Amino acid sequence: MTATEQTQASEPTEGDVGERVKIFDTTLRDGEQAPGFSMDRRAKMRMAHALEELGVDIIEAGFPQASPDDFAAVAEIARSLKQPTICALARCQEVDIDAAGRALEQARHSRIHLFLSTSPLHREHKLGKSKNEVIDIAVNAIRRASRLSHEVEFSAEDAMRTEPDFLVEVFNAAIEAGATTLNVPDTVGYVTPFEVADMFAFLRANVRGAERVVFSGHCHDDLGMAVANSLAAVSAGARQVECTINGIGERAGNAALEEVVMALRTRQPHFNVHTGIVTKHLYPASRLLAQLTGQPVPRNKAIVGDNAFAHESGIHQHGMLKHRGTYEIMRPQDVGATTSLVLGKHSGRHALRQRASDLGYVLDDAAMDVVFERFKALADRKRTVTDEDVEALASGADPEHTGPWRFTHLHTSSHLGGGASVSLKLTHEDGRTVSEAAIGDGPVDAMLRAVERATGEAISLADFNIRAVSEGGDAEGHATLTAHHDGHDYRGSGVSTDIVEATAQAVLAIVNRIERQVPRRAAAAHS
Ligand code: KIV
Ligand code: ZN
């Protein structure tokens, strides 16, 4: 590190300095396919809009041949988003490529992302194909995909464990067939930064036409090196990084987008590249994903964790007061992590809408009505309404909380030594009103039974999580439930200063989601 760099550490270089590194976000594909992170179509749409606002260059929206839901999500994202390139994943098989092409038909900029294993282990045990056969399959697939999308990316699956000379042959053929992005995945998260840099340098020096294509890094975190490996790829000439918000993804996850981006920005003089990411949207995007998947961000997570900018120790605080640069290499506001106490019971609708929008939630008038009403009720119960409260309110503004079923009465009681009872009254938007009561092992169990009886929807609890989203005795609790119904997983969440009420909202959100989705699934199955 140079002396100049040292003084610049807390004030990153702004603007387009050095070459552009494209950010390819695969939260909705590699991220979403990991256990615990699945999202329904509406959640994917919300995430896609947040990614567009964040300024990612490419959104990998899904794997259309995997399921009708995936196909529909990719098609809707392709139709709705204007700025980023929309990408769909496909195996090197005609059915996959054609499905990807159809799903991307309405995209302004489309990319089909083909993948095929190239490593000796995969060739022998997964594909049962020779080297020449692998090359032929890749070439035919790339030619077909080139006719169906604006551009084609080719991924050599398990590239990092592939013989470098063979990888050069595969990439030579891929470029001739029409691929313009060559991805070099560390599929199993096996290699170290030095090996990554060597591989990229070798490929750029030996692949015919290397200067006409973009080399891309795609690293998994099995040994905790996904971000370091992605940065090593950039140092050695990769000009695309594939990553996910909060680092979600297969097994231990993918490289975390926010970490890659902030490392490139904070250490700009070292890497001499830039990205198009609007970094103040990083924190809202991270929190939105946590809300949509029900998976909280660990406190100590780099860039977006609650502790990422917290300075507890007296020695650090003393240093910070003298010069922030002593212990701070990035400013919280650079990533949109403002934790100021902003709103109270005298705040108006405009201030609330503005704060929600700063946090990444764009609310239309109908959603705003619901959020404002709940905000006023909360502000009456709490002295101050924090950003976390606003996030919780805004993310709870989904129509899933407003119908078709609504609570009109709820009473719960827990008994010392175990057991709980619930009585409730639910009203349906078609005018029906149902009263039910149930007992159970605890309030959640009793609530599920009562709601099941009232609505007639059989659901079984798969996962239950409750956490405080703000601080103090009057903190709001965020309940997230996952339940099975008819072979599908449904997730619902609720927020309240009363955790039993938050749980009740989450249960109802699931039932409402089932009621709204079952007719859609039935229609899709018959179309
Ligand atoms: O990890 C991997 O190899 C992948 C490919 C589909 C690019 O996700
Ligand atoms: Zn992957």
Side-chain angles (χ1 to χ4, degrees):
M1 196 202 304
T2 64
T4 344
E5 240 189 280
Q6 240 160 35
T7 58
Q8 285 174 345
S10 61
E11 296 202 0
T13 316
E14 299 287 349
D16 300 350
V17 183
E19 283 180 48
R20 166 86 167 239
V21 171
K22 291 186 191 183
I23 298 296
F24 175 115
D25 179 276
T26 182
T27 305
L28 299 176
R29 200 278 299 169
D30 223 350
E32 199 262 347
Q33 76 192 36
F37 293 99
S38 70
M39 282 174 261
D40 65 16
R41 210 156 96 203
R42 210 160 42 85
K44 285 187 187 171
M45 274 313 293
R46 278 182 64 186
M47 199 61 222
H49 282 294
L51 293 171
E52 180 172 48
E53 192 155 72
L54 184 60
V56 308
D57 298 279
I58 302 110
I59 293 179
E60 185 161 53
F63 185 177
Q65 181 59 19
S67 74
D69 278 352
D70 242 33
F71 183 98
V74 175
E76 194 175 341
I77 291 169
R79 209 167 33 245
S80 315
L81 267 55
K82 311 257 174 300
Q83 215 45 48
T85 295
I86 307 301
C87 175
L89 186 72
R91 290 168 295 182
C92 287
Q93 297 180 6
E94 290 185 2
V95 280
D96 278 34
I97 299 168
D98 294 353
R102 282 198 309 282
L104 291 172
E105 257 161 16
Q106 298 195 47
R108 292 203 172 185
H109 316 275
S110 59
R111 175 185 295 190
I112 294 182
H113 177 190
L114 297 167
F115 71 103
L116 183 65
S117 292
T118 51
S119 67
L121 256 173
H122 282 221
R123 286 194 314 262
E124 185 182 341
H125 298 288
K126 177 179 160 188
L127 300 178
K129 301 281 181 208
S130 69
K131 286 182 173 175
N132 285 340
E133 284 171 324
V134 166
I135 293 180
D136 284 349
I137 294 168
V139 164
N140 288 332
I142 294 168
R143 289 195 181 128
R144 191 175 187 94
S146 303
R147 295 194 289 272
L148 299 174
S149 63
H150 295 119
E151 53 193 63
V152 175
E153 167 170 340
F154 176 74
S155 276
E157 195 183 0
D158 205 15
M160 285 295 171
R161 294 192 298 171
T162 299
E163 309 89 323
D165 288 335
F166 177 55
L167 207 48
V168 167
E169 276 184 59
V170 174
F171 283 162
N172 285 343
I175 293 177
E176 264 180 43
T180 51
T181 302
L182 299 178
N183 190 30
V184 190
D186 182 19
T187 303
V188 291
Y190 179 71
V191 288
T192 65
F194 303 105
E195 290 164 310
V196 173
D198 284 352
M199 180 64 103
F200 274 84
F202 181 80
L203 292 171
R204 288 182 64 228
N206 291 288
V207 168
R208 259 193 324 273
E211 64 295 343
R212 287 187 275 120
V213 296
V214 172
F215 283 93
S216 165
H218 175 117
C219 301
H220 281 271
D221 209 30
D222 299 67
L223 293 173
M225 287 188 278
V227 171
N229 283 342
S230 302
L231 296 173
V234 170
S235 296
R239 288 299 173 257
Q240 174 177 288
V241 174
E242 303 197 352
C243 41
T244 60
I245 301 289
N246 297 344
I248 70 169
E250 285 278 358
R251 306 179 309 280
N254 289 56
L257 182 151
E258 60 279 3
E259 295 177 25
V260 170
V261 166
M262 287 313 288
L264 294 178
R265 183 178 194 261
T266 307
R267 302 298 310 279
Q268 199 287 330
H270 175 78
F271 289 104
N272 196 26
V273 295
H274 70 277
T275 72
I277 295 298
V278 186
T279 58
K280 72 175 178 7
H281 292 311
L282 285 170
Y283 182 83
S286 158
R287 293 300 152 137
L288 177 61
L289 180 68
Q291 294 280 359
L292 294 173
T293 58
Q295 302 289 351
V297 178
R299 279 195 91 85
N300 64 333
K301 166 84 181 62
I303 315 295
V304 288
D306 285 347
N307 286 1
F309 296 97
H311 298 276
E312 194 76 39
S313 110
I315 295 174
H316 286 202
Q317 285 178 353
H318 183 69
M320 290 274 291
L321 287 172
K322 296 237 152 115
H323 188 295
R324 295 193 76 83
T326 49
Y327 288 100
E328 190 170 75
I329 60 164
M330 296 165 278
R331 295 169 305 180
Q333 61 267 37
D334 291 341
V335 302
T338 51
T339 50
S340 48
L341 304 172
V342 280
L343 299 169
K345 70 180 189 183
H346 300 299
S347 306
R349 208 181 148 89
H350 180 74
L352 176 64
R353 189 193 288 264
Q354 183 58 49
R355 196 65 214 128
S357 149
D358 291 347
L359 292 167
Y361 296 90
V362 180
L363 301 171
D364 61 20
D365 286 343
M368 192 59 210
D369 287 345
V370 178
V371 172
F372 192 58
E373 197 183 312
R374 296 183 61 215
F375 165 74
K376 283 291 179 193
L378 179 67
D380 271 344
R381 297 202 297 270
K382 290 191 73 183
R383 283 184 308 283
T384 45
V385 179
T386 64
D387 282 358
E388 288 80 5
D389 293 323
V390 175
E391 275 189 70
L393 289 172
S395 64
D398 298 353
E400 74 191 22
H401 292 302
T402 58
W405 289 104
R406 236 168 9 89
F407 280 111
T408 40
H409 165 81
L410 176 65
H411 178 81
T412 59
S413 54
S414 295
H415 314 296
L416 202 60
S421 55
V422 166
S423 69
L424 51 78
K425 191 191 247 181
L426 292 178
T427 307
H428 195 273
E429 64 188 15
D430 65 10
R432 270 177 295 154
T433 296
V434 197
S435 297
E436 270 300 346
I439 52 170
D441 293 339
V444 181
D445 187 39
M447 186 88 60
L448 276 171
R449 287 171 196 229
V451 170
E452 249 181 12
R453 282 188 195 161
T455 62
E457 300 290 1
I459 50 179
S460 63
L461 189 64
D463 191 35
F464 175 53
N465 184 300
I466 190 137
R467 76 189 167 96
V469 288
S470 47
E471 288 169 12
D474 55 358
E476 291 223 277
H478 182 205
T480 315
L481 267 80
T482 307
H484 295 310
H485 169 81
D486 201 18
H488 294 279
D489 275 355
Y490 292 86
R491 184 175 295 115
S493 61
V495 180
S496 170
T497 48
D498 175 342
I499 56 172
V500 177
E501 189 184 317
T503 307
Q505 287 174 11
V507 173
L508 201 64
I510 289 177
V511 169
N512 282 334
R513 195 164 268 179
I514 292 172
E515 281 222 9
R516 286 197 308 273
Q517 287 200 354
V518 165
R520 275 217 303 272
R521 286 195 202 279
H526 290 104
S527 64

